[in-house]
């Protein structure tokens, strides 16, 4: 069928040529979509988007794909073309992939192993309309991330951690611009305790102000998973 003038432009980017052709053939039976196709690499996607800007891009991740490289490429694509909604097509996904994909700019994750074409068409229409497509498990991954207190690991030249886990959380929150009082609320501690933490942190790192601490953290810090959640049971300070 010939796509109508109001059809949703869909770019399919897939490293598996046969899978891409099968998906393209199936979607072209639906006149509400105008389908284009390209290999799953940054240069090919850029050329395809510049040729005809789609409303949505389906990015098919192979089980053999290097996840880190794929997410970097996805982030670059998103920064170059933020107006194109992105959906990641996967056979399976875990927490790390879900969080990494949404941080990189996707608006939906669709499992091609457990869903049919009708549901994929629904996903495309919803995401093209500005909605987000996730299942309950994926949504919980994202909500859990929001509730975490950030933590910033501060290392010396040998790669050794200089601070306790709680001190790392204080540094991360200060680096985000929170006041002592706001840090205290976030960690469910007293403001006096936060001041004592900062005194010890300054002493350990050889800095004398919050500005110096933020600069030190920016140059020597590495994000890490939180070990406590905001509002959790108060944990005694490390002596």
């Amino acid at each position: 069928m010939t796509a109508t003038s109001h059809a949703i432009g869909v770019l399919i980017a897939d490293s598996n040529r046969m899978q891409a052709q099968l998906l393209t053939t199936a979607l072209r039976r639906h006149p509400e979509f105008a389908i284009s196709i390209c290999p799953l690499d940054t240069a090919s996607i850029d050329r395809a988007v510049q040729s005809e800007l789609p409303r949505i891009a389906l990015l098919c991740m192979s089980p053999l794909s290097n996840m880190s490289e794929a997410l970097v490429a996805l982030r670059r694509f998103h920064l170059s073309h933020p107006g194109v909604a992105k959906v990641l097509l996967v056979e399976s996904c875990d927490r790390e992939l879900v969080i990494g994909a949404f941080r990189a700019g996707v608006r939906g994750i669709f499992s091609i192993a457990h869903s049919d074409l009708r549901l994929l068409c629904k996903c495309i229409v919803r995401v093209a309309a500005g909605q987000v497509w996730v299942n309950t498990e994926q949504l919980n991954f994202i909500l859990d991330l929001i509730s975490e207190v950030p933590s910033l690991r501060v290392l010396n030249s040998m790669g050794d951690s200089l601070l306790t886990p709680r001190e790392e959380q204080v540094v991360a929150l200060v680096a985000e611009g929170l006041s002592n009082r706001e840090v205290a609320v976030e960690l469910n501690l007293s403001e006096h305790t936060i001041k004592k933490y900062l005194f010890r942190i300054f002493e350990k790192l050889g800095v004398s102000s919050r500005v110096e601490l933020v600069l030190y953290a920016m140059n020597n810090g590495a994000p890490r998973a939180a070990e406590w959640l905001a509002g959790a049971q108060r944990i005694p300070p490390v002596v």
Side-chain angles (χ1 to χ4, degrees):
M1 294 184 182
T2 303
T4 69
S5 59
H6 300 293
I8 298 171
V10 180
L11 172 65
I12 299 174
D14 197 331
S15 56
N16 185 322
R17 186 175 180 82
M18 181 173 291
Q19 177 176 272
Q21 289 292 350
L22 290 172
L23 186 57
T24 301
T25 300
L27 289 177
R28 279 180 176 162
R29 297 194 184 104
H30 295 259
E32 64 268 33
F33 304 133
I35 307 297
S36 56
I37 184 173
C38 74
L40 185 61
D41 63 76
T42 302
S44 298
I45 292 174
D46 283 341
R47 286 194 297 269
V49 171
Q50 290 170 9
S51 174
E52 185 174 357
L53 189 67
R55 282 176 60 187
I56 186 167
L58 302 181
L59 308 167
C60 308
M61 180 177 282
S62 162
L64 300 178
S65 299
N66 182 302
M67 186 175 72
S68 297
E69 292 180 2
L71 292 179
V72 168
L74 175 57
R75 182 61 179 169
R76 288 174 179 166
F77 176 30
H78 179 67
L79 293 175
S80 300
H81 304 282
V84 179
K86 292 96 181 160
V87 174
L88 192 63
L89 271 60
V90 296
E91 291 192 6
S92 63
C93 60
D94 56 18
R95 183 181 188 274
E96 184 180 1
L97 176 58
V98 171
I99 292 173
F102 276 94
R103 279 177 168 164
V106 305
R107 300 290 293 176
I109 296 180
F110 188 90
S111 175
I112 55 179
H114 304 103
S115 303
D116 57 24
L117 182 64
R118 178 190 59 80
L119 203 56
L120 176 58
C121 292
K122 186 176 180 180
C123 168
I124 294 171
V125 171
R126 293 283 180 86
V127 173
Q131 299 181 32
V132 175
W133 186 274
V134 289
N135 62 28
T136 301
E137 181 184 41
Q138 294 161 3
L139 179 60
N140 284 331
F141 289 153
I142 297 169
L143 293 176
D144 287 345
L145 179 67
I146 294 172
S147 68
E148 289 180 353
V149 174
S151 184
L152 191 67
R153 191 178 185 199
V154 181
L155 311 173
N156 61 17
S157 59
M158 301 298 292
D160 300 320
S161 181
L162 299 176
L163 305 176
T164 67
R166 183 61 107 187
E167 289 169 348
E168 290 172 352
Q169 286 188 318
V170 172
V171 172
L173 293 170
V174 169
E176 288 190 354
L178 274 66
S179 67
N180 286 358
R181 183 173 182 177
E182 290 169 331
V183 174
V185 170
E186 187 72 17
L187 296 179
N188 196 23
L189 297 170
S190 70
E191 189 172 351
H192 178 69
T193 299
I194 298 303
K195 289 179 180 179
K196 290 201 297 184
Y197 271 121
L198 283 172
F199 179 80
R200 279 205 297 268
I201 291 167
F202 286 177
E203 191 174 38
K204 287 182 178 181
L205 302 184
V207 300
S208 58
S209 70
R210 295 170 72 93
V211 173
E212 289 182 15
L213 175 59
V214 171
L215 291 174
Y216 189 101
M218 290 174 60
N219 292 323
N220 301 277
R224 62 182 291 177
E227 298 190 22
W228 294 286
L229 300 181
Q233 183 178 0
R234 182 173 298 186
I235 299 176
V238 179
V239 179

